[in-house]
Amino acid sequence: MAEFYEVLAGRRSVRRFRPDPVPEAEVREIVRWATLAPSASNRQMWKFVAVADAGVKAAMREAVERAIDELARAVPGVKGVGGMKGWSFFFADAPVVIAVFGEEYRSRTDDALKARGLAAAEIDRLRARPDLQSIGAAVQTLLLAAHAKGYGTCWMCAPVLAAREIERLLGVEERWRLVALVPLGVPAERPKSPGRKRLEEVFTYLGGPREG
Ligand SMILES: Cc1cc2nc3c(=O)[nH]c(=O)nc-3n(C[C@H](O)[C@H](O)[C@H](O)COP(=O)(O)O)c2cc1C
């Protein structure tokens, strides 16, 4: 069991990778572990596309650069848009990039809330997007499975700015929406943890009568 906790504690966001290729069988196995994640109504509304092709990775990177440049031009008054580049491109230098897609999931509760006349934003407030939560669970499982095998990864949402172009490049059907990119490879760095909030800041225990 100690090993499990070591995997949890040892995973870091890796942003520099060695060029060593990752065998397809390894990628397949890591994705298989990811699919063990729980999902709302067990819908498994996720799809993973692993890209090892250098040309496709470069095209994805260019799409992200275009999307950031376009946004920066559109809102010149908003600072920091160009700075997004530092957090958005490195996936293309990893031997494999796993694009994670999600399919929208609407339950009967969603339908009932809609029929009652609630706006989409209020439905999201009361439902908290079980589809995105499910996909998040799969992404985290993927990161841990990769780390357990000695690979580095980084959960990346910044490149989703180019979602439409990446979806087109990877040829997924219209109903699949890009949720994240996960570069995968042998780490070329050992990042330090950026730290965590103290447990007291994020956890409250509402105790019942004392035991014993
Ligand atoms: C939903 C999500 C989106 C993220 N997007 C990016 C990203 O676009 N680029 C990036 O460099 N890191 C991204 N990260 C990584 C976080 O910066 C990182 O997890 C956090 O700083 C904690 O570091 P650790 O993963 O090493 O514990 C993302 C993480 C999550 C969970």
Side-chain angles (χ1 to χ4, degrees):
M1 216 25 143
E3 219 179 278
F4 173 72
Y5 294 114
E6 278 162 24
V7 171
L8 285 190
R11 182 211 54 81
R12 289 274 71 76
S13 289
V14 170
R15 299 182 173 89
R16 290 198 308 117
F17 301 89
R18 290 165 55 106
D20 320 39
V22 183
E24 184 185 335
E26 291 271 86
V27 181
R28 210 171 264 281
E29 195 191 332
I30 289 165
V31 172
R32 198 188 299 281
W33 287 119
T35 63
L36 296 190
S39 62
S41 300
N42 196 27
R43 285 293 181 92
Q44 304 165 61
M45 59 295 265
W46 45 57
K47 186 197 239 337
F48 305 85
V49 178
V51 182
D53 182 286
V56 179
K57 283 188 289 179
M60 290 165 71
R61 183 198 185 285
E62 284 160 22
V64 176
E65 183 154 28
R66 270 196 300 278
I68 295 174
D69 286 344
E70 195 275 323
L71 181 61
R73 270 197 306 275
V75 291
V78 178
K79 286 208 174 81
V81 180
M84 286 167 59
K85 290 185 176 181
W87 303 98
S88 307
F89 295 160
F90 60 88
F91 69 86
D93 301 322
V96 176
V97 185
I98 301 175
V100 184
F101 296 91
E103 190 179 28
E104 193 176 342
Y105 160 70
R106 293 290 170 196
S107 68
R108 283 201 202 112
T109 315
D110 293 295
D111 295 341
L113 292 171
K114 196 172 174 194
R116 202 180 169 201
L118 267 66
E122 186 59 10
I123 296 177
D124 282 354
R125 179 85 172 81
L126 300 182
R127 296 282 299 138
R129 294 301 303 266
D131 44 5
L132 292 181
Q133 293 190 44
S134 306
I135 297 155
V139 175
Q140 172 67 354
T141 308
L142 189 150
L143 305 190
L144 294 175
H147 176 61
K149 284 177 153 293
Y151 293 110
T153 56
C154 186
W155 187 329
M156 296 180 72
C157 283
V160 177
L161 203 56
R164 286 198 168 80
E165 211 177 325
I166 292 175
E167 287 157 11
R168 192 184 54 72
L169 270 168
L170 300 186
V172 296
E173 292 162 46
E174 169 65 24
R175 67 179 195 280
W176 294 104
R177 300 285 159 86
L178 183 69
V179 175
L181 293 184
V182 180
L184 169 77
V186 178
E189 61 173 5
R190 281 177 142 265
K192 277 209 321 220
S193 168
R196 290 298 188 265
K197 293 178 180 175
R198 288 179 309 112
L199 193 61
E200 293 68 32
E201 285 184 62
V202 298
F203 174 67
T204 304
Y205 184 85
L206 299 177
R210 279 185 192 282
E211 288 166 26

